Amino acid sequence: MKRLFILLLIACSTIATIHAQQRAKGQQTTPIHVKTLFNDIIKTWGNPSDEVFSINKNPNTNLIESSVRITYFVANNSEWTDENAKSLNLKDISEAFKKDEPTSYQLLHLSPGTNESFSLRAVDGNGKDKSYLVRGMNKEEMWLLCTKNAENPQLRDAYAIKWTLSDDESKILGAVYQITSLRPDIYEKELASSRKTFKIVGRVDENIKDSLYNIYIAETADELANIGDDDYVACVPVINKRFEWQTELEKPMVGRLRCIFPDGSLCSAWINLDFVPGETYNITVHNGYYDGDQDYERRVGRNSGRSLLNERQKRGNDDVVILDDVVIDTIPTDHRAIPLKDEVNPTPEQKMQMEAKGHAIAANIDAIKATYKSLKPFVDMGSLTGSDNYFKQIIRLNKELDVKCQDYIKYLGGFDSLPSDWKTDLYEGILGFYSKQSQVFGELYKKVGLLPKPAQKAQKYVNKLMEKYMKEMKKAMTEN
């Protein structure tokens, strides 16, 4: 390992020296003539209103993985073909590309009359692929130049221009393409070797001190449920707040990610995932929650309809509220959950009253859960715009629930046979329910950002009820 580290240092030093020597000799590394030409064409004849522009960045590193800028232009044919014209012309294009040829690893010129079409692919680090047709008609002329990206040698910068005459031959109609993406030789090679590779790319929040992560794999949900703490297949270290792990899989499986704290203890919570060949799962772990890979979950994971995890495993072991399947503990409303003394049983009428009140509370709880669940489509779209009525309904249903809970508590207070701590147990259930609702708002904030005013009002009302029942529980404990 030490020898490898030394060799890496030597290699890095050698590369840095070569780069310094190249800069010292004034060696051109970017196609400055073509870039200047494109800027002049866009400034002189470009149509910004029709421009195609997009940038994709790695969410963890914020580095560009791909970018696309396509600008259409219209020029006067008389200026375009006149070598003596003061504006840009046809000769300037060929000269710019030829001057920058030393910086390129691909240079291509297609003249009018040839039947060859040409497309540029933009592939980012996650394998997302989009193709752009540059030349589709044999009457078009095209120039293309490709270079390695100066900041990241794994990326390719492609510069292309095409043009053709208008029907009346008075205008030149064209487009300029500037596309940065993964180099074709890299993604084609990686594509062949990555069809079986599943990879986890993780980032750890600066505020937590996770040091290791255990990785567990199982073929089925039942097998994962029974897996032992020591049955991990890998123990991955966290280095500079980052960790990565990959394996070759013949088929989709299920797995688990579990933190080991610096003192060597296992975290009581874990994250269950679908392990799918040919896919990469990106995750950022925070203190008490994590940002999962929503695109992954939608395509091949728990929200795809193909997940191998059961509903419980999708939530993990810590009852975290997930909007895909809102999980909120119910208040114990069955009369059998109320610990009446053995020597005094409720009359049939009392049982019926308790059950009726309990069913009313349960129905109210189900309505609240259903309302939260109705927010999922908004979350998937990344915006709560148009969801105001749902939050107004959450407030209304919680007001009704508060009245029903107070009535239930008052009714049970009429039983002399109840133990002294019955109120405490009941309040714990009520508070647990409101606590779960509060977590939903936390989830919403993480997924969509700023909450609209109706959502903020609903959140405040839920928190107000939490404070109310907390005070009542403290009072009941004092009375005991």
Side-chain angles (χ1 to χ4, degrees), residues 121-395:
R121 291 176 66 188
V123 180
D124 64 22
N126 291 321
K128 294 180 181 178
D129 186 357
K130 191 167 184 178
S131 184
Y132 297 89
L133 179 65
V134 178
R135 186 179 191 265
M137 300 184 293
N138 62 6
K139 63 180 182 179
E140 292 176 327
E141 186 165 359
M142 186 199 85
W143 279 89
L144 166 79
L145 181 144
C146 295
T147 69
K148 288 184 180 180
N149 182 274
E151 301 296 327
N152 184 353
Q154 289 192 319
L155 301 181
R156 172 201 64 183
D157 292 335
Y159 303 87
I161 183 173
K162 71 170 182 184
W163 67 91
T164 186
L165 282 169
S166 61
D167 292 338
D168 62 3
E169 298 187 357
S170 64
K171 301 290 183 182
I172 294 295
L173 311 177
V176 169
Y177 298 79
Q178 300 177 80
I179 298 178
T180 296
S181 70
L182 199 64
R183 275 176 27 215
D185 59 315
I186 292 179
Y187 66 70
E188 287 172 359
K189 181 179 179 180
E190 289 186 348
L191 181 64
S193 63
S194 66
R195 288 173 181 164
K196 294 183 179 180
T197 302
F198 169 73
K199 187 175 183 180
I200 296 175
V201 177
R203 182 175 178 273
V204 176
D205 195 295
E206 293 291 337
N207 298 323
I208 60 177
K209 298 180 180 180
D210 295 357
S211 58
L212 299 166
Y213 279 89
N214 279 353
I215 308 291
Y216 304 80
I217 299 181
E219 292 193 5
T220 66
D222 290 340
E223 185 180 330
L224 182 65
N226 296 314
I227 206 162
D229 290 349
D230 296 328
D231 296 333
Y232 54 87
V233 298
C235 187
V236 184
V238 177
I239 301 174
N240 294 328
K241 299 298 180 180
R242 302 182 186 279
F243 62 94
E244 288 190 14
W245 175 81
Q246 67 182 45
T247 188
E248 300 292 314
L249 299 176
E250 295 292 335
K251 61 181 181 180
M253 301 183 76
V254 290
R256 177 172 295 166
L257 188 63
R258 192 172 183 183
C259 167
I260 301 177
F261 296 125
D263 63 2
S265 62
L266 271 172
C267 180
S268 60
W270 55 71
I271 301 166
N272 292 328
L273 302 173
D274 287 278
F275 285 16
V276 181
E279 296 287 345
T280 297
Y281 192 94
N282 293 283
I283 185 171
T284 300
V285 182
H286 301 282
N287 191 8
Y289 68 96
Y290 67 95
D291 294 328
D293 193 327
Q294 299 303 315
D295 177 67
Y296 180 100
E297 300 291 11
R298 203 161 34 241
R299 290 185 298 101
V300 297
R302 66 188 70 199
N303 302 326
S304 67
R306 295 178 286 171
S307 176
L308 298 179
L309 299 169
N310 61 37
E311 291 305 312
R312 174 61 180 162
Q313 289 169 339
K314 290 178 183 179
R315 300 194 296 268
N317 71 326
D318 53 358
D319 286 328
V320 172
V321 178
I322 300 174
L323 286 174
D324 298 341
D325 181 20
V326 179
V327 182
I328 304 178
D329 294 339
T330 57
I331 303 167
T333 54
D334 191 318
H335 74 274
R336 289 164 294 183
I338 305 300
L340 299 175
K341 287 186 177 179
D342 295 335
E343 61 268 21
V344 179
N345 292 318
T347 65
E349 183 180 353
Q350 289 173 326
K351 283 184 179 180
M352 187 168 62
Q353 284 282 342
M354 292 176 68
E355 288 177 353
K357 293 179 185 297
H359 288 321
I361 290 176
N364 201 289
I365 288 172
D366 289 340
I368 292 173
K369 290 165 65 176
T371 306
Y372 281 116
K373 203 167 185 178
S374 298
L375 295 171
K376 184 179 181 298
F378 295 95
V379 174
D380 291 342
M381 292 187 296
S383 172
L384 292 175
T385 302
S387 64
D388 292 3
N389 287 335
Y390 291 99
F391 292 107
K392 292 177 182 178
Q393 181 166 304
I394 287 171
I395 293 175

